[in-house]
Every structure is written in structure tokens, then in C-alpha cells.
Amino acid sequence: MLSWLALIGALICLAALAARNLGLAPSERAFVQPRRLDLGLFGLALLALIFATRPTLLSVLALAPFVAAIASWAWAFGLRSASFVALIVACGGLAGFGGAEPEPLASLAIAATIASVAAIERERWAIAGGLLGYATIAASWPGLFALALAAKLALEPERRRDRGSVRALASFIGVGLVSALLPAHGVAASFDLAGPEPAGARAVGLRWLFALDGNLDLGPRWLDYPTKLEHLRERSGWLWACASALMVPVIVAARRLEPARFVAIAGCTSLLAFTSVDAQVWVVVCVLLASRATLLRDRPLTLGCAGLLALDLGLRSLGHVHAQPFLYNVGATSLLSLLLLGLGVVVLLVPALADEPGAPR
Amino acid sequence: MIAMGMLDSLWQLLSARDQTKIVQFWFALASVALLLGLFTWRSLGPRLRELSPKLPPNCLVWGRRALRGALVIAALCSSLQYFYGQRNDGQWLHRWDVYHQVFGAKYFAELGYFRTYECTYELDRAHAKHFAKVEQMRDIRSLRVAKVAEVIGEPDCAELFTPERREQFVADIEAMWALEGHGMWKSLFGDKGFNGTPFHAWVLTQLLRGNALDYWSLVALALIDVVLLVAAFGLVARVWDVETAAIAGLFFAANFPNHFGYMGGSLLRFDYIAMLIFALAAMKRERWALAGVCVAWATMVRAFPGVFALGLALKAGADLIATRKLPREYLRFFVAYAAAMLIMFGLSLTLAHGFDHWLEWIANIRAHTEHTRGFRVGFKHMFMLDGSLADDANFVGWVGKTAHYRPRAPWFWLAVVLLLAPLLIAARRLDAVSFAALFACGGFLLLMSATRYYYAMMVLPILIDRPLLRDRKHLLMCALLFATAAILHALAEVNPHVPFLYNTACSALFTAWFVIVGALLWLDPELRDRSA
């Protein structure tokens, strides 16, 4: 009952957001910019051309990847989990994560990553590899999830025996190559501390907590991004140490965690620790709900869900009093760091992220 | 010779005031590394047991002794840096605060809470005129800073004293002036006066009775705090173990807002935290009445430590509701607590104006806490994040922050309930010592907006009733506490904006720590290492 209610609520949110988009002037509609839509798959590119003059249908079309991702999540993890993922995607993704304006360029990559975690849960290695292959070419950062998948498969000899890893690798390379041949304008992730964009006002990444000099809002004593990057270069040793420390819990738990859960946690943690991405990409944090346990009955999973909802609520509240860059560089990064640090602590203490044996209920 | 040279270098490093941040940063970081190392050691338990037959005999025993020795040495070095390296100014005595404590308490009967600055200036003007260059002063009643003449108004301070007391007052001003630090007076008269409770004033009055106000007499009195803290951590060593005492001592020194220079070298500024530590030790040794007396002392001198008693009351209430019986230990605690509070309250009434002093204190504290300030830390600041947080330009002032907070108060209280919920739900499962320690710390952080130095309270969670070196949850909790200290010391080097460091960074980091502890409590209300 609860699951259905949550799902209906999510669908209402999606519909409301689509309607909101319809009510906007064409120039303000985030989805209605056919020139910018990244439809890496040839079929969708054709559809875009056909419906270029019909922005309404295009708005609806843009929801399709997320609906597909949510459907795949329901297939893998059950209706209740999918309902909460849908809520997080609806509140965060289409409305903009923490209030960030949605960027259609990232939508497909995010949806593909979410769907890939679902495919991993169902041991559809070829599908998972293919989705991650496309997403990596489109947006770079999903490569971290692909790396996590590769690491997990390498640790599990039985996967090698049943050629799961071979299938995943083959489809990753295959789909990746095909995607690379098509126009791709994904949101790049900055792996290089001294690299180019995104280093702007919507950037989220652990590195921005190492550049808290001067004014944190625009105004006097605000340090521009080249200066911030200069400071980051000087502090790169500490940054790498902290980023690596953040990864330790999930690496230690690599064998204990189920593949989907490991990929989700490792992917999200490395995304925060080692990259700087646009705020909207962080809709992908919903994959932390990757578990077959029953939500609201299993404590670790319920805690994770509460954490995600609190994250979005916290960021939206902060958005009422602060705009970018503080909102994302500092606010979103801090909240995500707390979430993933807390998750790391729990992963270290609670084997397999299940209810502890002997712990009173 | 080499050893002497090394000792000399070590002394230079630990005693240098300008090295505090870097030294305590490294102590904090080393503690994080040690605790995580111990966590790893405990996690590898089964494999180690396989290896242990192969290890030389007594290897683990000697290893533990070496660890204990290293921790004790580290704690001693850190304490040296804390008690001496973090001294307030060129000399160890905290003249600024000593003035407030001495004049605020000794002349409490004549001046109350609101006339200390005014009468110090006025009576000095009629004699040595030491403060002639002071142009502005704070009116402590309204907290407004104005020209001296406006604050003083009609000179009437002489009438408040008997001739003998007036003569003594003037002599004490001379004694304070003789302690040097003449430059401090311009700023000192802009501070906010003496804010101790009437009982605190009574205690100070007894201490100062018959004592001259010369440098060494005041240092002797100021050393009471050091003695109390050493005794407290010594008791921790006895009741818990040496390692826990050393780690608690390391954190006490490294804890960023607990800088010794803010209050150290003054009179009875750390008695409250020493008493709370004594209380926890007494509870662990089943001496509940003694614990009640200690908490009563802390409450009567500072008021906010009452949150410790509140926590225990909630635990007792939970047990009463569940079992329909109040365990005897809680009864002993609260009877002793109430009786001690009554006695101390009675003693405070022997001051000149009796109960009126308490009414005046309440009015003073109300004005004092109406708005936050740059040195305050507390969860409430997460609801006052408007404006520029790290720069004076576009900074929303204190009145503005209060105005922004008021409509958000319901959300604040909802958040407090949610954050305290895991701990409250665990009330029946957690032992009394652990619950009291966690609630005192968490309740203080969430419910109050206190000046930075009172965050010595953050040492209490280290003293939960768990074997620190063997319980992995406790090890991680302590590691995270040290991490907050390291981060804050590093941040202070990068962005020294005071309101940003305390209102925002400190508050956010301590809240984040408490959120993680809450998550652990939610997963296991007994907070036990289940891997053992």
C-alpha cells in the first residue's frame, strides 16, 4: 500500500513538473532546446528532429529516460524502492537537484547510470556494461561506476567463470565506441585539479571544501576560480589524502557488499571525492538505495533513504538563503560529504549493510 | 647533549603561542591516525588470533604497554602546549578575565551585574585616572556601546560603597593596573561584564577573601582550574583506563573552540567540566549521590550543565515508564542533586541582596542571550545562515540573524527532535553513563547557543562506558571527534573570519558528528561493537 502511494505521489510530481514546464515561455523551458538535447542514440535523435516543432511532446519525451530508469529499478529492487527513487528523481532530477536548474545534457547519462545499477542487481552484465559505456562517453563521470563494476567483477572469481565480466566489458567497449561516433555533449567531469570547467558556481566536489579562503559568496574578498584552483594545487596532497580516506570503507567492504550496492556506493563516493561535476548530476545519488531489503523495515536502507531525503530538503532550505556558488560549492558538497562519510562509517561497522545480529530492534 | 637539544626544541615548540594551531592540528591528526589504526587492529581480530601463537610471548602485552606509554607522553606534551603554550598573552595570568571575576564577584554586593565598568572608571577617575584614554564603554544592562560620559551619567558610584570598601576597591584597581597589560582596558570596557551565577560569585568571594591581588596570589588561585582538570583526567585514568584518559586529554587540548587562552589563567573557569567528569566517574563507580553533588555544583556555577541532569532524568523517566519502578541509583542521584542545589542556593542568598541577585542574573542572561555573537557555537546557527558567512561585507548583523531565525523556530525545534530521537529511543537500552554523556553533549549542542570555550563539553562522549581500545564504534566516534578538531585548526589558517569559524564551521562540524552518532544509535541502540 505504502509503495503504491509513494509511486503515485512520484508520478504526480513528475506530471506536475512536466505541466510546470509547459506553462513556461519556450525560452525558459529547460527541456525544449532541441539543439542542445543530447540524444546519443540514433533513434531518439530522429524523434527529436521530427518533434522539433512540437516542444510539448519533446518535454514529455525528455522524461522517458527517467521513467525507463525507474521502471528498471522496480524490476530489480521492487516497487517500494522504486517509488522512493522516483521521488528523489522527481524532486531532485527534474526539479533540479537542491534547486539546481535541470540540464538535459546530463539527463540521459544519469538515467543510464541508474538503470545500469538495476541491471547489475539482476546480473544482466551486458546491459549494465552497455549502459555504462554509453553514459561514460556522454558524460565521463559514469566511468567511475564502470570502474567500480570492473573492480567488483575482478574480485569475484565466479563472475569470471560464468563470463559475466567478459560480457560486461564487451558491451561497455562496444556501446561506448558506437556512442563515441555520435554527437555527444555531455557534462564533463573535472578529474584534474587544475583542469578547465566545470569549476564554476554549480560545481559540486570534495575539492571545493579545500578552497574556503576569502568570501564564500560573490562580493568583496571573493576569490575567483583560477585563484581557487591555485590554492587547490597547493593543497592537492591533503585533498588526495582525504579523498582516498573517504574511499577506504567501501574498498574494505568490497567483498562483503552485493555488486549493485558496491557499485552504487563506490561510484557515488568516488564521484564526490575525485571529481567536480554539475549539481544536477547528483540526482544519481539515488542509486544508494540499491538494496533488495525492504525499505522501512531494514534499518540501514531506511537510514539511507532518510539521509537522501534530508539531503535534498537541506539543500532546498539552504537555497532560500544562499545562491550559487556557495549553495553548490560549499552547501551541496558539505551535505554530500556528510552523507557519504556517514555511509562509510556504517559500512565499516555493519557487515553487508544489513541489520546487525544481536542489535535490539 | 643531543637529548638536551631535542628537549629544548620540543619545549620551544610546545611553549610557543604562535604554534598552537599547527601543534594541535598535528596532535589531532595523529590521534585520528592512531584511532583508525586501532580500529583496523580490532577489525583484523580473527586473523590476529590465528597469528598469535606464532608471535613471541608477551608481544601483545609489551605492545599495549608501549602504546600506553606513547599516549601518556603525547598527552603530557599536548597538555603542556594547552596549559602553557595557549596562554592568553605575554604572561600566563588572564588579566582581562581575572578583572571580571575579581571585581564582578568581590564587589557583587555593591555593583551587581551592571555597574562594574561604570564604577571602575568613575572611581579611578577620582584617583589615578588610569583609564583616561578610554573613550567608549558598554552599558552592560542594554549591551549598547556608547561614549563613557553617556554610560556613566551622573557619578554616583562612591555612594554605593562604604568608605572602607571604596578604599579597597580603589586599591584593587591599582593592583590590577600593576599587573601590566595597560593596553587592554580600551577593549575590556567593551566586553559584557561578569555573568557568573550568584553562587559562582559567592564561591569566588570566599576564594578571594583575605587574598591579596598580587600576581603570584592570583596565579595560585588560577592554578585551581589546572589542578581540577588534572584531577579529573587522573580520575578517568583510574576509573576507565590510562589510555582513555590520555585520549580524552588529547582531545580536550586539541578541541578547537576550547582554546586555553580564552579562559585559562583566570579563576574557576573550568570547574564545571571537571565536575561533570567527576560525576561520570562517580556514576561508573556506582557513587550516585556523589555524582549528583558534582552535577549540582556544575549547574549552580554555570546553569547549562543542568542538561546533564536533564538527560539522566529522561533516562530515569524511560525506565520508570517501562518498569513502573524508579531504580535506586537515580533516586540517590536526584535527591543528592536537589539537596546540593538547595544548599548552594542557600549559600548564594547570603550575599547582600539575596534573591534579587538571582533575578538580576536572569535579566542579565536574557539580554546576553537574546542575540547570538561571533564566538557562539550551536545547532541554532544552521538556521541563521543568511547573508555573507565569511566576510564582514554583507554580513547580517546579530539582530538581523535573530529576526531571520524567529519564523524558522518551528523548523529548528522539529530538527532538534529528529536529531535527538535516536538517542531518546535508545534511552532504555543505553547504560546511564553513556546516555548521560551523549545527552549532555548533544543536548548542549542542539539546545543552546553557547560561547566557544564552553565546548569543552565535547570531551564527554569520549567517556561513555565502553572499552575505548576494544570497541570499534567508540574508536570511530572518537576518531571523528578528533577529525573535527583537525579540520577546524586547518580551516582557521585558511579563513580566520571569527563568525564563520564558530557560528558556521564549528556548529556544522559538531552537528555532523552528532548526526553520525545518531545514525549509529538508530542501527544499534545499545551502541555496542557487535563484531567482538
Side-chain angles (χ1 to χ4, degrees):
Chain A
M1 179 67 171
L2 180 65
S3 309
W4 281 109
L5 282 173
L7 187 61
I8 290 166
L11 290 173
I12 292 171
C13 284
L14 284 170
L17 290 161
R20 186 201 70 168
N21 263 334
L22 293 177
L24 294 172
S27 59
E28 291 171 343
R29 287 180 197 169
F31 299 107
V32 188
Q33 294 181 29
R35 292 187 305 281
R36 296 183 62 208
L37 275 171
D38 173 11
L39 304 171
L41 296 174
F42 187 64
L44 284 173
L46 274 182
L47 286 170
L49 285 172
I50 292 166
F51 292 110
T53 55
R54 290 181 166 79
T56 309
L57 285 169
L58 218 45
S59 295
V60 174
L61 194 68
L63 297 174
F66 282 109
V67 173
I70 292 164
S72 67
W73 198 271
W75 165 65
F77 296 105
L79 194 57
R80 189 178 288 189
S81 184
S83 309
F84 281 93
V85 167
L87 264 174
I88 292 166
V89 166
C91 295
L94 300 174
F97 181 70
E101 283 182 26
E103 289 280 341
L105 295 170
S107 302
L108 274 179
I110 297 168
T113 307
I114 294 171
S116 72
V117 172
I120 292 168
E121 176 65 16
R122 283 293 199 154
E123 298 190 357
R124 302 296 201 267
W125 306 112
I127 297 173
L131 286 168
L132 285 173
Y134 160 71
T136 303
I137 295 300
S140 313
W141 58 263
L144 293 167
F145 289 80
L147 264 174
L149 177 61
K152 183 63 176 170
L153 289 174
L155 281 172
E156 306 213 336
E158 58 271 24
R159 309 277 181 224
R160 289 200 292 271
R161 276 201 300 274
D162 69 13
R163 303 174 70 145
S165 49
V166 174
R167 284 200 286 270
L169 184 64
S171 63
F172 178 85
I173 293 171
V175 175
L177 277 175
V178 169
S179 301
L181 294 174
L182 294 168
H185 306 286
V187 177
S190 168
F191 289 85
D192 179 10
L193 283 176
E197 295 295 305
R202 286 166 53 102
V204 177
L206 185 66
R207 64 190 63 180
W208 302 113
L209 297 184
F210 287 75
L212 294 176
D213 312 72
N215 197 339
L216 303 181
D217 296 287
L218 299 171
R221 295 205 318 122
W222 158 258
L223 299 183
D224 57 16
Y225 284 102
T227 312
K228 284 184 186 291
L229 289 173
E230 197 52 53
H231 286 305
L232 285 176
R233 278 189 210 102
E234 290 161 15
R235 298 163 192 162
S236 58
W238 290 108
L239 174 55
W240 283 106
C242 290
S244 306
L246 203 55
M247 291 300 299
V248 165
V250 68
I251 291 170
V252 162
R255 280 191 182 273
R256 285 184 273 135
L257 290 170
E258 291 298 313
R261 218 161 195 186
F262 173 78
V263 169
I265 298 173
C268 289
T269 307
S270 54
L271 186 64
L272 178 74
F274 297 113
T275 76
S276 172
V277 293
D278 185 270
Q280 200 232 355
V281 167
W282 275 101
V283 171
V284 81
V285 77
C286 65
V287 300
L288 292 177
L289 294 179
S291 170
R292 282 200 172 233
T294 310
L295 196 52
L296 303 184
R297 260 198 226 141
D298 180 76
R299 287 186 184 212
L301 186 59
T302 306
L303 197 60
C305 187
L308 289 178
L309 292 173
L311 172 69
D312 196 58
L313 182 65
L315 207 50
R316 281 178 197 288
S317 304
L318 193 59
H320 285 299
V321 297
H322 280 281
Q324 56 199 44
F326 177 87
L327 180 61
Y328 301 115
N329 293 173
V330 182
T333 302
S334 300
L335 289 170
L336 278 164
S337 300
L338 172 60
L339 178 72
L340 291 168
L341 176 64
L343 182 58
V345 168
V346 173
V347 163
L348 279 176
L349 291 168
V350 182
L353 280 180
D355 275 331
E356 286 187 279
R361 293 192 66 83
Chain B
M1 282 296 291
I2 294 171
M4 290 302 293
M6 282 173 65
L7 279 172
D8 188 56
S9 302
L10 185 64
W11 166 253
Q12 295 296 330
L13 182 67
L14 296 177
S15 61
R17 286 177 63 233
D18 58 354
Q19 296 294 313
T20 293
K21 282 197 206 86
I22 196 91
V23 168
Q24 290 300 344
F25 169 78
W26 282 107
F27 271 123
L29 204 60
S31 300
V32 173
L34 172 72
L35 291 166
L36 292 180
L38 288 169
F39 177 89
T40 308
W41 177 265
R42 296 302 305 175
S43 299
L44 295 174
R47 287 190 204 167
L48 287 172
R49 280 193 276 279
E50 284 169 32
L51 281 171
S52 64
K54 300 175 191 171
L55 288 171
N58 296 327
C59 178
L60 291 176
V61 173
W62 280 106
R64 173 104 185 226
R65 282 179 188 164
L67 174 68
R68 185 182 299 164
L71 277 172
V72 168
I73 291 170
L76 286 173
C77 290
S78 177
S79 302
L80 180 65
Q81 203 287 321
Y82 181 73
F83 287 119
Y84 188 66
Q86 292 184 23
R87 59 196 180 279
N88 177 256
D89 202 343
Q91 49 174 264
W92 188 79
L93 193 67
H94 196 313
R95 288 161 293 191
W96 180 300
D97 201 66
V98 162
Y99 161 80
H100 286 88
Q101 296 287 83
V102 168
F103 281 70
K106 195 169 175 181
Y107 299 100
F108 197 53
E110 289 91 348
L111 305 177
Y113 287 103
F114 300 120
R115 304 198 67 179
T116 316
Y117 297 158
E118 176 193 337
C119 292
T120 302
Y121 185 95
E122 202 180 296
L123 290 181
D124 170 75
R125 188 169 59 181
H127 291 86
K129 298 185 178 49
H130 292 306
F131 312 127
K133 289 185 182 165
V134 174
E135 291 164 0
Q136 291 196 313
M137 181 182 290
R138 192 182 297 274
D139 178 344
I140 300 173
R141 198 180 292 271
S142 65
L143 295 181
R144 211 171 56 87
V145 175
K147 293 236 181 297
V148 168
E150 192 184 323
V151 175
I152 288 175
E154 279 298 313
D156 59 351
C157 284
E159 296 154 19
L160 299 173
F161 297 85
T162 63
E164 296 80 20
R165 289 281 285 175
R166 189 163 60 241
E167 200 180 306
Q168 192 176 12
F169 189 82
V170 172
D172 284 344
I173 294 175
E174 288 300 319
M176 283 302 308
W177 186 258
L179 294 176
E180 305 292 326
H182 299 160
M184 74 177 183
W185 292 98
K186 264 191 171 179
S187 311
L188 186 148
F189 284 134
D191 203 341
K192 296 184 192 72
F194 172 71
N195 298 306
T197 62
F199 176 69
H200 184 64
W202 180 86
V203 174
L204 285 171
T205 308
Q206 310 312 309
L207 271 181
L208 291 165
R209 200 190 292 276
N211 268 306
L213 288 191
D214 59 272
Y215 179 80
W216 289 110
S217 301
L218 289 170
V219 166
L221 290 175
L223 281 172
I224 294 175
D225 273 337
V226 179
V227 168
L228 281 174
L229 286 171
V230 169
F233 287 107
L235 193 59
V236 171
R238 189 163 170 80
V239 175
W240 281 261
D241 51 57
V242 172
E243 293 87 345
T244 301
I247 287 168
L250 279 165
F251 178 73
F252 192 84
N255 185 15
F256 180 76
N258 184 39
H259 192 290
F260 185 74
Y262 300 147
M263 281 299 125
S266 185
L267 312 184
L268 285 188
R269 284 307 215 158
F270 291 89
D271 54 339
Y272 76 95
I273 188 66
M275 286 297 167
L276 291 180
I277 294 173
F278 290 147
L280 285 173
M283 285 162 63
K284 204 159 144 57
R285 282 289 167 93
E286 305 289 335
R287 308 283 286 272
W288 293 86
L290 181 59
V293 172
C294 293
V295 178
W297 178 283
T299 307
M300 286 303 286
V301 294
R302 285 289 179 283
F304 67 80
V307 71
F308 188 107
L310 174 64
L312 214 50
L314 287 169
K315 170 119 179 85
D319 285 349
L320 180 65
I321 290 169
T323 64
R324 305 242 185 264
K325 227 168 49 166
L326 185 66
R328 280 196 156 195
E329 52 266 27
Y330 299 131
L331 199 58
R332 283 201 290 267
F333 177 92
F334 285 108
V335 166
Y337 180 73
M341 294 263 287
L342 265 172
I343 292 169
M344 291 172 201
F345 183 71
L347 287 170
S348 71
L349 293 180
T350 61
L351 292 169
H353 299 291
F355 189 67
D356 286 343
H357 284 306
W358 282 99
L359 294 176
E360 203 181 54
W361 176 77
I362 289 169
N364 182 37
I365 292 300
R366 195 170 278 154
H368 217 68
T369 55
E370 187 187 358
H371 305 296
T372 189
R373 299 289 167 186
F375 294 144
R376 299 258 172 98
V377 180
F379 176 59
K380 197 179 273 191
H381 295 95
M382 299 296 97
F383 292 78
M384 293 189 272
L385 293 175
D386 308 77
S388 175
L389 298 177
D391 197 75
D392 291 336
N394 303 321
F395 186 81
V396 171
W398 311 120
V399 175
K401 282 189 183 284
T402 306
H404 283 300
Y405 165 76
R406 286 209 175 105
R408 299 168 191 160
W411 295 107
F412 164 74
W413 286 108
L414 178 64
V416 166
V417 167
L418 288 173
L419 288 175
L420 278 177
L423 183 57
L424 294 174
I425 290 168
R428 282 275 295 141
R429 302 286 186 181
L430 270 178
D431 59 278
V433 172
S434 304
F435 184 85
L438 288 172
F439 189 90
C441 169
F444 178 65
L445 170 69
L446 297 176
L447 298 173
M448 294 172 207
S449 178
T451 313
R452 53 189 173 177
Y453 39 78
Y454 291 127
Y455 275 82
M457 294 282 280
M458 294 304 294
V459 77
L460 296 178
I462 296 181
L463 304 177
I464 62 172
D465 195 3
R466 298 287 181 276
L468 175 50
L469 296 194
R470 292 200 297 278
D471 189 294
R472 296 183 322 142
K473 282 182 183 165
H474 197 16
L475 284 168
L476 274 186
M477 276 169 49
C478 294
L480 288 171
L481 264 182
F482 276 103
T484 66
I487 290 168
L488 286 165
H489 281 293
L491 194 54
E493 287 290 312
V494 159
N495 198 331
H497 191 258
V498 166
F500 171 65
L501 283 175
Y502 295 103
N503 295 169
T504 306
C506 254
S507 304
L509 282 167
F510 288 151
T511 304
W513 177 85
F514 194 73
V515 166
I516 293 177
V517 169
L520 293 179
L521 280 167
W522 171 257
L523 293 173
D524 178 6
E526 287 183 3
L527 206 62
R528 292 204 179 275
D529 184 0
R530 302 283 170 191
S531 69

